[in-house]
Short mmCIF file of all heavy atoms in Angstrom, two decimals:
data_model
loop_
_atom_site.label_atom_id
_atom_site.label_comp_id
_atom_site.label_asym_id
_atom_site.label_seq_id
_atom_site.Cartn_x
_atom_site.Cartn_y
_atom_site.Cartn_z
N VAL A 821 73.18 -24.70 -12.58
CA VAL A 821 72.69 -23.61 -11.70
C VAL A 821 71.19 -23.62 -11.73
O VAL A 821 70.57 -23.44 -12.77
CB VAL A 821 73.22 -22.27 -12.22
CG1 VAL A 821 72.79 -21.15 -11.33
CG2 VAL A 821 74.72 -22.28 -12.40
N PRO A 822 70.56 -23.86 -10.56
CA PRO A 822 69.10 -23.94 -10.57
C PRO A 822 68.43 -22.57 -10.82
O PRO A 822 69.03 -21.52 -10.55
CB PRO A 822 68.76 -24.40 -9.14
CG PRO A 822 70.03 -24.75 -8.49
CD PRO A 822 71.12 -24.04 -9.26
N ASN A 823 67.22 -22.64 -11.33
CA ASN A 823 66.37 -21.47 -11.47
C ASN A 823 67.03 -20.34 -12.30
O ASN A 823 67.01 -19.18 -11.93
CB ASN A 823 65.91 -20.92 -10.10
CG ASN A 823 64.71 -20.03 -10.25
OD1 ASN A 823 63.82 -20.32 -11.06
ND2 ASN A 823 64.62 -18.91 -9.51
N TYR A 824 67.56 -20.71 -13.46
CA TYR A 824 68.12 -19.73 -14.37
C TYR A 824 67.07 -18.69 -14.72
O TYR A 824 65.94 -19.02 -15.13
CB TYR A 824 68.63 -20.41 -15.65
CG TYR A 824 69.10 -19.45 -16.67
CD1 TYR A 824 70.15 -18.56 -16.39
CD2 TYR A 824 68.50 -19.39 -17.92
CE1 TYR A 824 70.56 -17.63 -17.32
CE2 TYR A 824 68.92 -18.47 -18.86
CZ TYR A 824 69.94 -17.61 -18.57
OH TYR A 824 70.36 -16.72 -19.50
N ASN A 825 67.41 -17.42 -14.55
CA ASN A 825 66.44 -16.31 -14.87
C ASN A 825 67.28 -15.11 -15.29
O ASN A 825 68.50 -15.18 -15.41
CB ASN A 825 65.54 -16.04 -13.66
CG ASN A 825 66.33 -15.61 -12.42
OD1 ASN A 825 67.52 -15.34 -12.47
ND2 ASN A 825 65.64 -15.60 -11.32
N VAL A 826 66.61 -13.99 -15.49
CA VAL A 826 67.28 -12.76 -15.98
C VAL A 826 68.37 -12.34 -15.00
O VAL A 826 69.53 -12.03 -15.37
CB VAL A 826 66.28 -11.61 -16.24
CG1 VAL A 826 66.99 -10.33 -16.57
CG2 VAL A 826 65.35 -12.02 -17.38
N SER A 827 68.06 -12.34 -13.70
CA SER A 827 69.06 -11.87 -12.70
C SER A 827 70.28 -12.79 -12.68
O SER A 827 71.41 -12.29 -12.52
CB SER A 827 68.41 -11.79 -11.31
OG SER A 827 67.41 -10.81 -11.32
N LEU A 828 70.06 -14.06 -12.82
CA LEU A 828 71.23 -14.99 -12.86
C LEU A 828 72.00 -14.76 -14.12
O LEU A 828 73.23 -14.80 -14.09
CB LEU A 828 70.75 -16.44 -12.77
CG LEU A 828 70.80 -17.02 -11.38
CD1 LEU A 828 70.06 -18.38 -11.37
CD2 LEU A 828 72.23 -17.23 -10.87
N ALA A 829 71.33 -14.51 -15.22
CA ALA A 829 72.07 -14.23 -16.47
C ALA A 829 72.98 -13.04 -16.31
O ALA A 829 74.09 -13.02 -16.82
CB ALA A 829 71.06 -13.99 -17.62
N GLU A 830 72.50 -12.05 -15.61
CA GLU A 830 73.30 -10.84 -15.34
C GLU A 830 74.57 -11.10 -14.54
O GLU A 830 75.53 -10.40 -14.65
CB GLU A 830 72.46 -9.75 -14.65
CG GLU A 830 71.37 -9.17 -15.59
CD GLU A 830 70.31 -8.37 -14.86
OE1 GLU A 830 70.46 -8.16 -13.63
OE2 GLU A 830 69.34 -7.95 -15.47
N ARG A 831 74.53 -12.19 -13.75
CA ARG A 831 75.74 -12.58 -12.99
C ARG A 831 76.65 -13.49 -13.84
O ARG A 831 77.86 -13.45 -13.73
CB ARG A 831 75.33 -13.40 -11.78
CG ARG A 831 74.76 -12.68 -10.65
CD ARG A 831 74.50 -13.73 -9.52
NE ARG A 831 73.68 -13.13 -8.46
CZ ARG A 831 74.22 -12.50 -7.41
NH1 ARG A 831 75.53 -12.36 -7.31
NH2 ARG A 831 73.41 -11.99 -6.48
N ILE A 832 76.00 -14.40 -14.59
CA ILE A 832 76.77 -15.44 -15.25
C ILE A 832 77.43 -14.92 -16.53
O ILE A 832 78.63 -15.22 -16.77
CB ILE A 832 75.84 -16.67 -15.57
CG1 ILE A 832 75.36 -17.29 -14.28
CG2 ILE A 832 76.62 -17.69 -16.41
CD1 ILE A 832 74.28 -18.35 -14.49
N ILE A 833 76.75 -14.12 -17.34
CA ILE A 833 77.30 -13.74 -18.65
C ILE A 833 78.58 -12.97 -18.48
O ILE A 833 79.56 -13.25 -19.20
CB ILE A 833 76.20 -13.00 -19.45
CG1 ILE A 833 75.13 -14.02 -19.85
CG2 ILE A 833 76.82 -12.31 -20.68
CD1 ILE A 833 73.87 -13.40 -20.45
N PRO A 834 78.69 -12.00 -17.58
CA PRO A 834 79.97 -11.27 -17.46
C PRO A 834 81.11 -12.15 -16.98
O PRO A 834 82.26 -11.78 -17.05
CB PRO A 834 79.66 -10.16 -16.43
CG PRO A 834 78.19 -10.03 -16.44
CD PRO A 834 77.64 -11.41 -16.70
N ALA A 835 80.75 -13.35 -16.46
CA ALA A 835 81.77 -14.24 -15.90
C ALA A 835 82.15 -15.37 -16.88
O ALA A 835 82.92 -16.25 -16.50
CB ALA A 835 81.30 -14.81 -14.58
N ALA A 836 81.62 -15.31 -18.09
CA ALA A 836 81.84 -16.45 -19.02
C ALA A 836 83.08 -16.19 -19.88
O ALA A 836 83.32 -15.08 -20.33
CB ALA A 836 80.64 -16.61 -19.88
#
Side-chain angles (χ1 to χ4, degrees):
V821 184
N823 200 37
Y824 174 59
N825 60 12
V826 172
S827 294
L828 264 169
E830 290 166 5
R831 286 180 190 273
I832 296 172
I833 291 168

